[in-house]
Amino acid sequence: MQNDIQRLLEAANQIILGKDRQIRLAVCCLLARGHLLIEDIPGVGKTTLAHTLARLLGMNYQRIQFTSDILPADIIGASVFDSKNHEFKFHPGPIFNQMVLADEINRSTPKAQSALLEAMEEHQVTVEGVTYSLPEPFFVIATQNPSHQIGTFPLPESQLDRFLMRIELGYPDPKSERLLLTGQNRHHLIQTLSEQIAPQQLQALQQAVTGVHVSNALLDYCQGIINFTRESSEYHCGLSPRAGLALLTAAKAWTYMDNRDAVIPEDLQAVLASVAGHRLRSGNNDSEAIVAPILAKVAVH
Amino acid sequence: MNPNLAHNKEILVFLLTSLGLIVLPHVTHLPWGVFGFFSFLLAWRFIGIWKPEKLPSFPWIVFLIVCGMAVLYTQHRGILGRDGGTSLFVIALGLKLMEIKTERDLYLINYLAFIVAASQFLYEQSILMAVYIVFVSCVLLATLVFINSHIADTTVSLKKAAAIIAQAIPMAIIVFIFFPRVEPPKWLWFNDPQQKKTGLSDTMEPGSISDLGMSDELVFRVKFEGALPPPKNRYWRGPVLTLTDGKKWVQARDFTYQRYLDKPKFSGPFYRYTLLMEPQEKDWVFALDLPAEFTKPLAQNANYQLTTSDDLRKRTEFKLTSYPTYNTGYLTKTEYKDARQLPALPSERIKQLVTQLHGYDRPPEEYITRLLNHFRKEDFHYTLTPPLMEDNPIETFLFETRYGFCSHYASAFVYLLRVAGIPARVVTGYQGGVYNELGNFLEIKQADAHAWTEVWLENKGWARFDPTAAVAPERVEKNIDINSLVPNGAINYAAPDSSLAALNLLKQARKLWGHIDYNWQRWVINYNNANQSIFLSSFGINDFKTMVYWMMAIVGIITAVLSLILLYQKPKQIDPELAVYNRFLKKLAKQGYVKQPGEGASDFAERIKPLLTEQVDNIENITSAFIMQRYGNNPSDEGLKKLSKLVSLFKL
């Protein structure tokens, strides 16, 4: 099964050039049943990444553009009066898709944000007393612009916590950029992609990830990291128990992708920046820099 | 954390509360003005924690300082002496509270508070106070811990402070025992007009001893080297009163006959004992009747009473020997004259009584026996609250009221003897004492104050007679139990077996406490230069140099033991595979390839492989074997053995 993942990654790398690690993390997040937050300036390929993944995984894909006047009903849907049948009929919103791209989520008001985030957590929406389940697998990729940009409502900590990972794409390196400039139109390329992993297969993979072995020695290291964030003066507040669970789940998925059956400290370290970066506030927005003290000071035994 | 700790509410509450605790015991001896002023400032500062705008501005602080100086001046006329100095510290502490601006102020106040806590010992040195001061020091230390720790937690701070004090106590004890004692300079004993000690006086009037009758205050303690004297011999000699005006008895004025006195002849058994006097105003030392051996600074006056030239306002210890059987020999002319002095000619009633008891025509011994019988058989009563006898108290007592206590009986007895021409005098002092089994000592309280008589008899010298014993033998042979005095003032001699078990328990507890307190006074408060050298020489430490060496050695040992406990950390139990892997790391580290603390095994291997190209396989094998054992799904003993073998074979 890992071969399928490998093929998927290779195909994605053909579209988004020079971002192997970010794509790997995005797939890792997907395998760990988490949602992904991509934070970067416009135009570095956030939407392209989401679109590519949707195509490769054969999932229903819908994009929601968040604007400052978007309403919860625009996301989850609304009941409309059907004059033929003389009754209200629920029209599902764009969230009723397996993969949802919430573009520029921090441009909308907190009310609309929370409508999406609730659905992400519960995997269901409730409209006028009726609960509707969301399709499985359900995966949200949200993008946000750096909060220093004009017209943004930064996501509060409690909602940032709903995202398993936050990654930054960044500018491509010169070589990739040259290829990008000389290559074909990305939209056309995406249309040519074929499904690599079917949704049912993805669910099986997600199930397999949970079977990855975690040893006591690794848990010691994991707790060492958590305690360090709680006691160090570098962070305003340490990692929550939920964050600790997220870290372990992501590390398991990473291990699985690497075709191993037991997590080693390097796996934790690999996902640490993207899992813990947005949960730790240290006056810095660069995830790698935020977790650097942890990697340097928490001893691996 | 808040950058300015001086505004941290928790720290301020903690600090101010501990200050309140420190100054609290001063309430009993500081003038009300000073204490009130401090409490006012403390309360103001407490309000200021939540309403900083209510704190005084600079002109107000200047005004408060002037007020403080005024309070000091009006209460003490200055800052010299114990009371003035303590008040100065307390007022300064209160004023400093008004300007807590920086962290430095917090420290300053804390140190000042330690001084105020220590000043408490200038007033009271009891064991309870010592315990309280240790507790208060613990709270003060906790405040310092609180200020300096990033986890602001009261319980944690208190625990830490208690640990610090517990570690310091052995050190303090050693320094206390070995540190050279310096006698306090005399100015410390400047007389403070506010303290007045109650006690026996050098005059006796009807009622003067009954004032002491109910006082539970300790006067002295006696520890005997051998057996205790029987209760009927426990007379502790104080001033001897010879002259009277019919009401008031005073000491003889003229002691110049002392050099003509015969030396008393002692016989029979003797008692050796140590007397520990509580602080008192007078220079009297109450020795067991009659003291034979004593050393300087003690001296004996013409009435065989011991006095001291030392200051008795602190606790003092004396070693004495007394003989209950003695003969003082002949009487001097002055004594004879003084001991027969009468205020006026006796009345007809008195003469009649003396005639009736054959005072004029029989030998003195027979007259005395009849007189004692008279007290015993007639309707005389012993009470601590007799009716008032304003005029001619002796006659009123003898013929009308017949209610009285020791001073009435003693004065009437002496008077009747003198009327018959027999030399007699009143002796005051203490009688009895409560035996403390635990500490094996007698406690003599103010309530044991007593008056008895001495009669000069041919071939016997001054002989002791106690007319009170004739009326209330229990007073002498047992002891009055203050607890059993009935409300109307008569004394209730309840048999001890009727008391309840609970009361016995209470008595038992009191005795235990008395024992502890005795040892505290004996070994801690009274541990002066002399006692220190006696104590240390019993361990063979005889000179100053050895003493200092011993102190330094023991303090050094305690420091070493404490630092060992503090610095020693139990080595962590290391998993076997990690121990093996660490051996591999050690081999690499010798060649300069050091694994970073945060570096995983596989990352490390990747890093060093390019540097050690010929060892790539070994490094890979060891690393994967280690990862398998440590993080893998099913570590096995074989895997561990394999890893161990690989590491053993690994050579650089």
Side-chain angles (χ1 to χ4, degrees), chain A residues 213 215 262 265-266 269 295 299-301, chain B residues 597-598 600-603 630-633:
Chain A
H213 177 72
S215 64
E266 281 83 347
Q269 293 176 345
L295 295 177
V300 181
H301 287 301
Chain B
S602 124
D603 278 356
R630 184 136 183 89
Y631 303 106
N633 217 339

Side-chain angles (χ1 to χ4, degrees), chain B residues 71-89:
Chain B
V71 169
L72 259 184
Y73 188 75
T74 52
Q75 301 292 337
H76 298 290
R77 316 250 149 225
I79 54 167
L80 281 179
R82 182 190 66 177
D83 288 359
T86 311
S87 296
L88 174 71
F89 268 118

Side-chain angles (χ1 to χ4, degrees), chain B residues 536-550:
Chain B
L536 290 182
S537 58
S538 66
F539 292 99
I541 302 167
N542 287 316
D543 63 324
F544 185 79
K545 229 165 136 188
T546 339
M547 184 169 94
V548 173
Y549 285 156
W550 268 97

Side-chain angles (χ1 to χ4, degrees), chain B residues 185-198:
Chain B
K186 283 280 182 225
W187 60 264
L188 267 181
W189 302 107
F190 262 152
N191 201 2
D192 278 307
Q194 282 149 1
Q195 12 162 218
K196 279 258 155 43
K197 288 269 164 210
T198 52

